[in-house]
Amino acid sequence: MTPTAELLFRASDATPMSIDAATVKPWRQAVDCLATAPKAWLATVRPDGRPHAMPVMLVLVEGVPCVASRPRSRKGLNLARNPSCVLTIAGEDLDLVVEAEAVRVGDEAGLGEVASAFKDKYGWEFALRDGRVHDDSLPGSPEYGFYRLTPTRAFGYGGDGLTATRWRFDGN
């Protein structure tokens, strides 16, 4: 997944942000921010159109951000109804906003990869049984869903407050 990187603003936008093409951030910097973030914020859409945002733990699997949520939680229900979401991270040298489409992971191999990534990054162990994900460390062994968040567009703002990059995926 290699998006088109470009300046977010132009001289005609009369903004204090840099319009120097040399300040465009590489997507690799955004991927590093996603990989190292201890948490992110996931915004979803409620059935009545109102936004819903919650902190989530985030892992990367094959360069794609993945999150875990209980399917019957507000964010799980929102993603089942409308997969459009926004992931935000405040990083040390890059603040990141990723517009994405969420897809629930359902194949055994994918579930195993995401579970392994959560164990490696956070020490959070999931049990996989009959194509379902459970957290056996919690009372009742609640079910979780893993969601792949495929970016459609992203924005990166430099720590200097003066640089901004937009990444477009497949013309978005």
Side-chain angles (χ1 to χ4, degrees):
M1 151 171 55
T2 304
T4 301
E6 61 193 7
L7 283 168
L8 182 55
F9 298 103
R10 295 181 183 84
S12 61
D13 291 325
T15 179
M17 298 297 253
S18 174
I19 55 169
D20 180 357
T23 66
V24 169
K25 310 287 188 225
W27 179 244
R28 179 78 239 161
Q29 187 175 354
V31 170
D32 290 345
C33 182
L34 290 164
T36 59
K39 71 176 177 184
W41 290 89
L42 181 66
T44 60
V45 182
R46 296 174 189 266
D48 64 4
R50 291 181 300 131
H52 176 264
M54 293 301 261
V56 293
M57 289 191 270
L58 165 76
V59 296
L60 286 185
V61 175
E62 297 177 7
V64 177
C66 298
V67 298
S69 177
R70 293 184 186 183
R72 304 294 306 161
S73 70
R74 173 49 44 209
K75 68 182 163 288
L77 292 170
N78 290 349
L79 291 174
R81 185 180 172 282
N82 180 346
S84 296
C85 59
V86 176
L87 189 68
T88 59
I89 297 170
E92 276 190 39
D93 62 349
L94 186 70
D95 293 331
L96 192 59
V97 177
V98 180
E99 296 177 4
E101 292 293 315
V103 174
R104 188 163 172 187
V105 178
D107 63 290
E108 289 288 330
L111 293 172
E113 289 174 332
V114 177
S116 179
F118 272 105
K119 183 178 180 185
D120 291 347
K121 184 172 181 180
Y122 298 105
W124 191 6
E125 292 194 50
F126 289 98
L128 305 178
R129 293 191 295 276
D130 301 320
R132 294 180 183 227
V133 178
H134 296 272
D135 185 342
D136 289 343
S137 71
L138 296 175
S141 187
E143 181 180 351
Y144 278 78
F146 292 150
Y147 301 85
R148 278 191 181 99
L149 308 180
T150 302
T152 56
R153 188 177 353 201
F155 304 90
Y157 299 90
D160 58 9
L162 300 173
T163 57
T165 300
R166 172 178 42 222
W167 296 280
R168 293 180 294 121
F169 298 81
D170 299 325
N172 289 310

